[in-house]
Amino acid sequence: MENSICVLDWRYGSKEMRELFQRATILKRMATVEVALLYALSKIGLVREEDILVVQKNIDKINISRVEELEKKLGHDVMALTVHLAELSGESGKFIHFGATSYDIVDTANILIFRDAINIIKKKLKNIIIILMEYAKKYQELVMIGRTHGQHALPITLGFKFANYVYEFTRSLERLNDTSKRLLKIKMAGAVGTMAGWKDKGLEIEKYVSEYLGLPPHEISTQIAPRDGYAELVSDLAILASQLDRFALEIRELMRPEILELAEGSAESRVGSSTMPHKENPVTAEKISGLAKVLRGFVISELENIPLWHERDLTNSSSERIILSHSFLIIDEMLESMEALLRNLRVYPENMRKNLELTKGLIMAESLMINLTLANVPRHIAHELVMKVSREAEREGKSLLEAALDNEEIVKILGKEKIIEALNPYNYLGEYKELISRALSYAKNVIEQT
């Protein structure tokens, strides 16, 4: 790949995903659709079964150079393929492309590729969800600080944090399942979608093409399949990319030396900086975040492919040659990177304990306020009192527990034992076990149904 221009040719995306979008694969899938049409034509008596077999065998003989030569002459990529296939097939190829329009072939071939590509994505996404489910259970009891606005908020557990990602990634898996029902449909309807080229046999031909390829047809279409489905697909992939970005950002933040609660795996032999030998950077997480930016950018372009002129124009074609393959290859790379990151994740419980105590118990102010309210102090009065005590603790360098025990009013209302209990972060985790269990059950159900 020394002369390759696109980084996706050699750096990003797995071999299995890259092969789906190579020129040879695309041409073979298009040729497969042409064979499916011949199968349909044979069912209505226009083509002999032996002709189908001849054309089918010639799919493996497709010569990309010859297709490109014909395209230069004809100025039309699909016509170049059909002419080449007809050349290879002789008398058996005379009905190739009969009654069809180019996008009957292109859109249906796309769907054959999408079906395989989505299955690859689902498989990798399920692996990630399963790893996170295991982490959610393993670290269910590991208490750490929960943060909002980048500030210390309330105690949570690391398992609870992981369970939230289980839930979010599972929603993407569910989203892909739902989108597939609308997206994975053949389009075989002729020049403007009326099937006129097949006279009164159009619906029959569509049925047989559908039967051959194992996919249902669109209920109605113009010259192309409705682009809301393509836009939905790219949007779903971009949402998943943003979820992966969210987790990657979490790792990047928690890997800071002054926090260091989670970190990317061992980097003993990996260079962190060309000039600073000590550096150990979250490069996998940063790659995930960087690629998410690109994938999000494709959403607008694909949304703009929905409003085409009348029964269609060609403005979707050029952009989709980039958007569709690149979207799948980028999300594929992100998922592979995410799985590698998770499998090599480092956890630092001692730093979690240290950071939990960093505010000297101020994170338990809500708990103190709640207990005062339950002891018949109006909530707004309790809020004011605890805020006052919290500020005093900060100002005097005390812990909140010390400040609360020094406050006669609070001691009188709650008593010392109740104050100590209320300010223990390990007692203020709410329904974390039940919530983790609920998230894992939801994920298990969706995985089983996928």
Side-chain angles (χ1 to χ4, degrees):
M1 295 283 180
E2 61 184 21
N3 296 317
S4 177
I5 294 172
C6 181
V7 70
L8 296 177
D9 285 335
W10 56 273
R11 190 178 186 97
Y12 298 137
S14 64
K15 181 182 177 183
E16 61 178 342
M17 184 65 80
R18 197 178 293 121
E19 285 177 349
L20 287 179
F21 293 96
Q22 288 174 346
R23 185 81 189 280
T25 304
I26 293 170
L27 289 174
K28 285 182 178 181
R29 295 298 173 93
M30 290 168 64
T32 298
V33 179
E34 294 285 7
V35 170
L37 176 55
L38 291 176
Y39 168 80
L41 294 172
S42 76
K43 289 292 186 179
I44 63 169
L46 284 179
V47 173
R48 299 175 304 169
E49 287 188 17
E50 51 264 40
D51 292 331
I52 302 171
L53 294 174
V54 170
V55 177
Q56 193 171 34
K57 286 178 181 177
N58 285 326
I59 290 178
D60 289 331
K61 298 178 183 177
I62 291 172
N63 186 305
I64 294 176
S65 297
R66 178 56 179 158
V67 174
E68 289 175 347
E69 179 187 334
L70 285 166
E71 186 175 349
K72 286 178 183 177
K73 175 184 174 183
L74 302 170
H76 197 289
D77 57 344
V78 178
M79 193 62 184
L81 173 63
T82 59
V83 169
H84 178 45
L85 204 53
E87 287 175 343
L88 291 170
S89 304
E91 185 67 18
S92 293
K94 64 182 182 180
F95 271 96
I96 290 174
H97 206 67
F98 177 76
T101 191
S102 297
Y103 261 68
D104 288 333
I105 310 306
V106 171
D107 274 350
T108 304
N110 279 344
I111 293 308
L112 295 178
I113 294 169
F114 292 171
R115 179 171 60 180
D116 291 345
I118 289 171
N119 283 336
I120 292 171
I121 296 305
K122 285 181 180 179
K123 180 183 176 182
K124 293 181 180 181
L125 180 53
K126 283 192 286 187
N127 288 341
I128 287 167
I129 293 168
I130 289 167
I131 295 169
L132 285 167
M133 290 171 74
E134 292 169 355
Y135 282 173
K137 288 182 281 188
K138 180 177 180 179
Y139 297 109
Q140 177 174 273
E141 303 298 335
L142 181 53
V143 179
M144 64 183 296
I145 188 63
R147 297 171 173 89
T148 58
H149 307 279
Q151 306 299 307
H152 287 204
L154 295 175
I156 60 171
T157 71
L158 181 58
F160 180 82
K161 184 183 284 288
F162 283 133
N164 270 276
Y165 287 102
V166 167
Y167 179 57
E168 291 179 31
F169 288 136
T170 302
R171 286 162 64 85
S172 262
L173 181 59
E174 195 171 42
R175 203 173 281 118
L176 285 170
N177 289 339
D178 289 342
T179 294
S180 293
K181 297 171 189 174
R182 289 179 288 276
L183 175 73
L184 300 183
K185 296 183 176 184
I186 68 159
K187 188 271 169 182
M188 188 61 58
V192 291
T194 62
M195 304 181 175
W198 300 304
K199 299 187 180 296
D200 61 346
K201 299 293 185 181
L203 291 172
E204 270 190 87
I205 285 170
E206 179 192 64
K207 181 184 77 172
Y208 290 125
V209 171
S210 173
E211 177 185 290
Y212 187 90
L213 297 174
L215 288 166
H218 279 290
E219 279 66 24
I220 192 170
S221 67
T222 60
Q223 191 178 83
I224 63 173
R227 255 36 193 181
D228 63 287
Y230 282 45
E232 185 177 9
L233 169 64
V234 176
S235 297
D236 287 349
L237 298 181
I239 289 169
L240 174 55
S242 293
Q243 292 171 323
L244 293 166
D245 185 10
R246 186 171 105 77
F247 187 91
L249 184 60
E250 185 79 11
I251 299 302
R252 291 162 59 198
E253 287 287 343
L254 297 183
M255 193 173 169
R256 291 174 184 270
E258 58 269 30
I259 298 175
L260 199 57
E261 293 177 351
L262 295 175
E264 282 193 15
S266 175
E268 289 180 8
S269 62
R270 187 175 71 196
V271 174
S273 167
S274 62
T275 188
M276 294 175 283
H278 72 283
K279 290 295 293 297
E280 191 174 336
N281 300 327
V283 294
T284 302
E286 289 174 330
K287 177 177 67 174
I288 291 169
S289 293
L291 290 175
K293 297 176 183 180
V294 181
L295 190 39
R296 283 193 288 266
F298 287 148
V299 175
I300 295 298
S301 297
E302 194 53 49
L303 286 171
E304 290 181 351
N305 284 333
I306 296 174
L308 303 175
W309 285 6
H310 310 300
E311 276 57 62
R312 78 91 40 121
D313 61 51
L314 203 61
T315 56
N316 68 296
S317 176
S318 53
S319 63
E320 284 179 352
R321 291 177 196 271
I322 299 168
I323 293 167
L324 301 175
S325 59
H326 285 50
S327 293
F328 273 111
L329 283 161
I330 287 170
I331 198 65
D332 182 64
E333 176 67 25
M334 291 178 73
L335 289 168
E336 293 229 325
S337 298
M338 179 67 169
E339 182 170 345
L341 190 158
L342 285 173
R343 292 195 183 279
N344 295 289
L345 193 66
R346 285 181 284 167
V347 178
Y348 295 91
E350 65 279 8
N351 288 340
M352 291 180 182
R353 284 192 294 272
K354 181 185 72 175
N355 292 334
L356 191 67
E357 297 165 2
L358 199 63
T359 64
K360 296 183 178 180
L362 288 176
I363 59 169
M364 298 307 297
E366 183 192 66
S367 175
L368 185 59
M369 179 189 69
I370 292 292
N371 278 276
L372 286 167
T373 305
L374 291 173
N376 213 28
V377 178
R379 195 261 182 200
H380 67 285
I381 300 298
H383 186 283
E384 183 180 355
L385 177 58
V386 174
M387 186 171 69
K388 177 185 174 184
V389 172
S390 298
R391 297 291 181 266
E392 287 174 2
E394 280 187 289
R395 189 168 56 250
E396 297 173 13
K398 295 180 180 179
S399 69
L400 181 59
L401 177 59
E402 290 172 326
L405 291 174
D406 287 344
N407 186 285
E408 293 181 4
E409 185 177 0
I410 293 175
V411 172
K412 183 179 178 181
I413 295 167
L414 293 178
K416 291 185 178 182
E417 286 188 13
K418 188 69 175 177
I419 293 170
I420 293 169
E421 181 186 341
L423 295 182
N424 184 344
Y426 297 88
N427 294 335
Y428 202 65
L429 296 167
E431 305 276 6
Y432 74 106
K433 288 184 182 178
E434 290 73 15
L435 292 168
I436 291 171
S437 177
R438 192 165 70 178
L440 300 191
S441 293
Y442 164 72
K444 184 172 180 287
N445 289 336
V446 174
I447 288 173
E448 287 175 352
Q449 293 166 15
T450 298

